[in-house]
Amino acid sequence: MSLIAMAIVPFAVSLFVCGLMIRLGPKDAPDGGRKTQAAPVPSSGGVGVLAGMAAGLASLALMAPSVAETLVAAPIAGIAGFTVFAALLGWADDVFGLPALTKLVALLGGAAAAVVIGPQPGTLWVDGAAVTLPWALGAFIAVGFIFVMANAVNFMDGANGIAMGTSLIILAALGLMLVPSSVYSSADQSPGILMAMCFIAAASLAGFLVWNLPGKLFAGDAGSLSVGGLIGGASVMFAINGPALVPLTLCLPILIDVFLTLAWRARHGRPLMQAHRDHAYQLLLRAGWSHGKVAWLWWGMTAICAGAVIAGPFASAAGLYGARSWPLDVIVFAALLIAGCGLWVRQRVTLGRELLASGR
């Protein structure tokens, strides 16, 4: 029965509602520059993803009444509340076009409210050791990561399948690592419900991708902001009781491109608040790569990160290797960070210069 609630129901509802959004949703028109579609494409597919998540959680609550109690209590309520808030904010932007600064301020306020409700990290686990944080510092880190992930997924949502497919892999991996209770020090039901939320969100994204991969529907800000916020909130909650670098490692394919691109634009005096085509994935699209090929590349990199953390620091933290002698979470994170940054720089030096020289 749990398989129905966590996979079949959210997938089917998301698939159906996304199909409705193709007919009823706002249209994302081409702009002759950053947007690559030749004609207006229905957007706000994130509404379908959110509907799938709501249906999956409702089904789970009907099977186990305690689920509903956990959903409306801290810390899950903070994560769920921000996901809904970000979806509504994104939908408003999809329909009415909100100023960028207004959207950023609203997201920051929403992230702060989510952390006030919960989760509130007082401890982070690095290399098996607990690092105690003052409440203010822990809250600052939590708000910052939720805010950053909401925007980062939004920045990466410029090619069919790349942002939402990558998010699906991240959420599925987080859900998988939330299964063994030995990773957690708490005895409440929150990790179990968070696990269900991750799997339900992944199934909902799969329903959306059926329409998105052929280019029939975009997620819009309603999808990218809410899914990114969910990843951020789930990562913070995971880090409170599990290896803190694990969710950060999972998000590296997104975060490396976003932060290095912003740094590159700042170094060249280009406005950071302006839409552009300078991300690594956008360079590949400009060079003639198909959306599918670019998406598969990012999915592959994310799958490598997921495999590395599951086989390395997570397995070690779960006690599968017995006594540890190496800081696997630090080693895996550092190795993948260095490799990812190296690939980004190499592409910028080679393909970036080639595109600049040819005027593409």
Side-chain angles (χ1 to χ4, degrees):
M1 293 296 288
S2 59
L3 175 63
I4 295 175
M6 290 194 290
I8 298 175
V9 168
F11 174 83
V13 171
S14 176
L15 183 68
F16 175 74
V17 176
C18 284
L20 290 180
M21 294 305 296
I22 292 177
R23 296 187 175 215
L24 305 176
K27 300 294 191 293
D28 189 357
D31 59 3
R34 181 179 64 89
K35 299 178 181 180
T36 58
Q37 69 267 29
V41 176
S43 186
S44 276
V47 172
V49 175
L50 192 67
M53 291 177 59
L57 289 170
S59 300
L60 204 61
L62 288 175
M63 297 176 191
S66 60
V67 170
E69 298 175 5
T70 307
L71 283 171
V72 296
I76 294 295
I79 299 172
F82 181 80
T83 302
V84 174
F85 169 77
L88 293 174
L89 179 67
W91 178 84
D93 187 42
D94 292 336
V95 175
F96 304 109
L98 301 178
L101 183 59
T102 300
K103 190 166 61 174
L104 288 175
V105 171
L107 277 176
L108 187 59
V115 172
V116 168
I117 299 171
Q120 300 173 0
T123 302
L124 293 180
W125 292 86
V126 180
D127 187 26
V131 179
T132 303
L133 302 174
W135 182 88
L137 178 59
F140 177 80
I141 293 173
V143 170
F145 195 71
I146 294 172
F147 175 77
V148 164
M149 283 308 304
N151 283 286
V153 173
N154 187 37
F155 291 163
M156 295 295 291
D157 191 27
N160 297 338
I162 181 172
M164 297 297 100
T166 299
S167 296
L168 186 158
I169 297 171
I170 293 172
L171 288 165
L174 277 176
L176 182 63
M177 289 184 287
L178 282 159
V179 173
S181 59
S182 59
V183 177
Y184 296 93
S185 59
S186 59
D188 61 37
Q189 296 187 39
S190 297
I193 302 303
L194 183 63
M195 174 204 72
M197 286 180 67
C198 289
F199 284 145
I200 287 170
S204 298
L205 286 169
F208 162 76
L209 287 171
V210 171
W211 302 108
N212 176 245
L213 288 175
K216 296 180 179 179
L217 178 68
F218 292 166
D221 281 12
S224 57
L225 293 178
S226 59
V227 170
L230 175 60
I231 291 174
S235 297
V236 170
M237 187 169 166
F238 183 99
I240 293 175
N241 298 297
L245 290 177
V246 163
L248 195 58
T249 304
L250 285 173
C251 297
L252 281 178
I254 291 176
L255 294 176
I256 287 174
D257 192 6
V258 168
F259 278 102
L260 289 186
T261 299
L262 290 175
W264 182 86
R265 286 183 63 82
R267 182 174 178 271
H268 288 80
R270 301 186 180 185
L272 300 183
M273 300 287 287
Q274 186 181 78
H276 58 81
R277 298 193 302 157
D278 291 328
H279 285 289
Y281 76 89
Q282 291 172 321
L283 296 190
L284 294 173
L285 291 174
R286 288 161 57 187
W289 282 42
S290 67
H291 285 243
K293 190 175 180 181
V294 173
W296 273 105
L297 175 61
W298 254 260
W299 296 354
M301 292 189 293
T302 308
I304 289 171
C305 290
V309 295
I310 291 172
F314 175 75
S316 179
L320 299 184
Y321 299 149
R324 296 182 304 148
S325 59
W326 295 94
L328 289 178
D329 51 349
V330 178
I331 291 173
V332 169
F333 173 76
L336 291 173
L337 175 64
I338 292 170
C341 290
L343 288 172
W344 190 96
V345 172
R346 185 176 185 276
Q347 189 215 36
R348 188 68 45 168
V349 171
T350 56
L351 182 58
R353 289 180 176 175
E354 177 184 328
L355 292 172
L356 183 63
S358 62
R360 285 183 285 171

